[in-house]
Amino acid sequence: MQRRQSSKTQKQPLQVHYKNQSDLSAWRKGGRTDPEKIVQNNQSPNDQKNGSKQDSFEQALSYFEKVQDHVSLKKNNVLQKHLTTVESIALQRGLPPEGFDVLLNVALSGKLADTVNTRLLKSLVPASVIPETSVVSSVSWLCVGKCSGNIQLLFLRWLITMFDFIDHKDQLRALYGFFFSFLQDEKMCPYVCHLLYLLTRRESVKPFRIRRLLDLQAKMGMQSHLQALLSLYKLFCPELVTITLPGKMKTYFKNSDGPWKAAINAVRQRNQKNSPVSQPLFLGTARPQSRKRKWNAQLIIPASSTNKNNLKEDKERNRVDLYGINESFPVEQLQTFPQLLQNICHLEFPSQMGSVLTNPLLLHYMNCIKDESIYLRLYYWMGQTLQEECTWCAADNNQYEEEFKDFLETVYKTECFLQEGFSSCEEFLYKSLPLWDGLCCRSQILRLVSWIPLSSFSEMKSHLYDPLAQLFFTSSLYFKCSVLESLKQLLQNWLNWHIINLDSESDSQFHSLNTTLSGLVNVVAELIHFVGWISTVALRLEHNPTFLLYFILDFYETVCDMYLRYNMPLLIMPPAGVFYPALLSMDSVSLNQLCYIMYRYRTNLVAAKENELTKKKILQFKFSSQTYQEYNQYIIAMVGCLWTSSAFQKDVHPQGLHMDDELLKKTTVQEFKTSFNIVYHPAMMGYAVLFLQQAWPDDTTFNFSLIKGKKWNWYLEYLYAQGLKGLKVFIESSINRVSQASRSKAGNVQV
């Protein structure tokens, strides 16, 4: 095989193909080729410096292209010089597309020592894109076996890392069977599976390949990389893969981009700082881009595959296709919703799944076409990216905190658009929360928490509730309120998911989570109990602040209406550590919230009782008598405080306000019985003062005893006019019933 001849013949089409992206002159200038600017700046020091580097790089390429025999690095100053030149250029500004053919061929040909080949492969960092023809040409060297096993492994790792930087994939996918044959090598198997995972399409799934994977699994055991490929095969052809595979997403592959990750980031950052014009960015994107990280670059659909010449070739190819099976609409051309509707059966998602996150049309496609392979690819990419780029999981990522925030924000907006949480985000949160300080990316992390999919309580307790509780108790008041808001959103998302899927008997998420209605009720109940517990402790730690109490009661506004609004056969009363601080609050907003919550509890309990008594349908769930008992105890305490002035005598809750008269007399408080009615209550006394000023403007004694009889009713109307709607509906729905019950000496509210 004449390597020099092949490399020369491949350079000519590369120059034509990449002339609008990156040639050696454009790469030398660090921007686009502009003859006028070249003439104007011909004498600049930067030009001379760049020219010197360019000459050195061309000399290095020429040297490596002409290497014939095995060359050792020791005492070879020429080889050391050219190797250092390639490494320096690669780390400073990245290599142009024309350089990959020569360097890949020499690294895999076995002409150089493994030490040199390793350094060459580690220096293959692109300035823009990597030609597919160069990759295909280098793969052919794996057939002759001249390079060592370590070099082959390093090449596969490089290929996986740079997969999204390769301009096209058609010829590479044609080598699917060739890569598949390397699965028999135990050392290469994990990386080959990873590469095949990226290359797999529906037509790649064949019965003999499935049998081969099953044989390997029987030989090696349940390996994660084999499970990944089998899972993808099963999504494309479930009738061929009949075995049961783990349904929960996990990290299938090890990180492969270690040697190149830092270099890619450094090159991108340096190129953007030095160039006043738009650079030919990674992945061949023609649009200006401010991101420096690889995962942020993937948020834009690459334009390399939209080259006009290529599009014309694709169109010609589609016209020749007799059956129309291979017709596909380039996703880069998708601009409008009518285009989506017309080509919805011909779309093929880009290799860079990150670009889907910022494209509403592709997100609409995901909603309409429930293709599990798309979700699996997205989950895999997102899980890898979140774990690798987490700023508190890796020591060298702190400088990219702002960009990581933007990425998390993008993921959150995508979840909101799709109205479902990603299992990869759930895995990331479970792994990272124990290491989180509660400060870095706080709002973004808590927003992602609100979209965690339904899981079993055992998983959520150990992975979510326990680490979140530790941060909750040791953090600021604002953080506590943020956590409560996030958990309220989590509860609402679960309830919305339940109401949407209530009539769907074959919902995939139900089955994948092995979740029945009973399981859903248990998970929701545990979340409510968890919030009740941390709320009780937080109120004690923070001395019952109104700001915190508002978020706690806001959570229970959702809880109290679950039965009627979300058709959830569950109602849980707030703990006494929440109810009594709200009842005795110094703020009228909290008291009004509590009144509304108790009104909605009563409405839901009455509806549940009526539904149970009429027996219109067989009920799988019935509220326990303890729920009714707790409600009755709370309602007696509220009416005793606000209306009948008998809370200290009739409150029967174990943690309630009941106290002996002798103890109350020792407080030396006059008229202690009326201390918490709607006139004397600390939260209502301001309204009482304003009412007295309007009713008796000449009386400056503020005699609250005047508010009685008819004046009491006037005072109620005054309170209602001030916007205390919760107090209004509570009094109108509960007070008369309790009064009648007390007159009949029932002493209880029979709901």
Side-chain angles (χ1 to χ4, degrees), residues 180-211:
F180 194 89
S181 64
F182 283 91
L183 288 175
Q184 60 188 358
D185 190 310
E186 292 189 9
K187 291 185 178 179
M188 297 181 67
C189 185
Y191 301 103
V192 173
C193 284
H194 195 165
L195 181 59
L196 292 174
Y197 188 94
L198 299 174
L199 292 172
T200 298
R201 291 181 173 180
R202 189 177 300 275
E203 56 268 23
S204 307
V205 182
K206 305 294 182 182
F208 73 90
R209 289 176 179 156
I210 296 175
R211 289 194 297 270

Side-chain angles (χ1 to χ4, degrees), residues 224-289:
S224 60
H225 48 273
L226 295 175
Q227 291 180 24
L229 204 51
L230 282 171
S231 298
L232 191 58
Y233 281 10
K234 188 168 186 176
L235 287 174
F236 282 127
C237 300
E239 70 281 1
L240 297 179
V241 184
T242 57
I243 65 170
T244 302
L245 295 169
K248 192 167 182 60
M249 178 63 184
K250 57 188 295 187
T251 302
Y252 287 130
F253 306 110
K254 295 181 180 180
N255 182 16
S256 300
D257 62 1
W260 302 277
K261 177 180 175 181
I264 291 173
N265 297 329
V267 169
R268 174 179 292 279
Q269 186 174 9
R270 191 175 294 114
N271 283 348
Q272 290 180 343
K273 286 183 178 179
N274 295 338
S275 176
V277 295
S278 177
Q279 289 283 344
L281 298 178
F282 289 120
L283 305 179
T285 52
R287 296 168 52 185
Q289 187 177 346

Side-chain angles (χ1 to χ4, degrees), residues 514-525:
N514 194 22
T515 303
T516 61
L517 181 58
S518 176
L520 173 64
V521 169
N522 292 335
V523 173
V524 171

